[in-house]
Amino acid sequence: QVQLVESGGGLVQPGGSLRLSCAASGFTLRYSTIGWFRQAPGKEREGVSCITWGDGSTNYADSVKGRFTIFRDNDKNTVYLRMNSLKPEDTAVYYCATVRMCTIATMRSNNWGRGTQVTVSS
């Protein structure tokens, strides 16, 4: 069964850090372009970051540039999202998904997991 499972969310204070994991099963993740998305209460899901399957190129939403880092560990069949300097506006459910192209504004998926909740609050 092809599946992506997100984990690593939690409650963190503003300025804190978290590392989210996107673990793949049923397929080899290194041959897929992976996007991270998030959805805050009352808002549409938005693209946050992505990494290509080929040369590992990355893209980031302007709101997270310089604070978030996406990377992959092919041995663990996992993509990570390292989030530093977290802000209350980063609070959302975070999802990962396979996407066709690593373009923040237009990347889409129709196969979603449960996501992982990130809450940034003092």
Side-chain angles (χ1 to χ4, degrees):
Q1 181 181 2
V2 174
Q3 192 176 13
L4 289 171
V5 178
E6 306 92 344
S7 63
L11 173 64
V12 63
Q13 292 186 341
S17 298
L18 284 173
R19 190 185 74 173
L20 305 184
S21 299
C22 173
S25 61
F27 71 104
T28 302
L29 190 144
R30 75 170 69 190
Y31 300 123
S32 297
T33 295
I34 300 296
W36 278 100
F37 300 77
R38 66 186 181 186
Q39 187 167 20
K43 295 188 176 181
E44 292 188 356
R45 193 169 299 177
E46 63 177 359
V48 175
S49 183
C50 53
I51 184 167
T52 64
W53 70 270
D55 60 2
S57 298
T58 59
N59 276 325
Y60 299 92
D62 288 344
S63 59
V64 306
K65 277 181 183 175
R67 300 189 297 121
F68 290 13
T69 303
I70 188 171
F71 59 101
R72 66 200 317 154
D73 185 333
N74 291 331
D75 290 339
K76 294 184 178 180
N77 213 26
T78 301
V79 168
Y80 300 94
L81 186 67
R82 178 69 179 177
M83 307 187 297
N84 294 329
S85 303
L86 283 162
K87 305 175 181 180
E89 51 263 44
D90 295 317
T91 295
V93 179
Y94 284 70
Y95 304 86
C96 63
T98 56
V99 296
R100 291 188 63 186
M101 297 186 68
C102 186
T103 49
I104 298 299
T106 59
M107 60 184 186
R108 296 287 185 271
S109 179
N110 56 9
N111 187 13
W112 300 102
R114 293 185 176 182
T116 185
Q117 175 71 48
V118 172
T119 302
V120 185
S121 174
S122 55

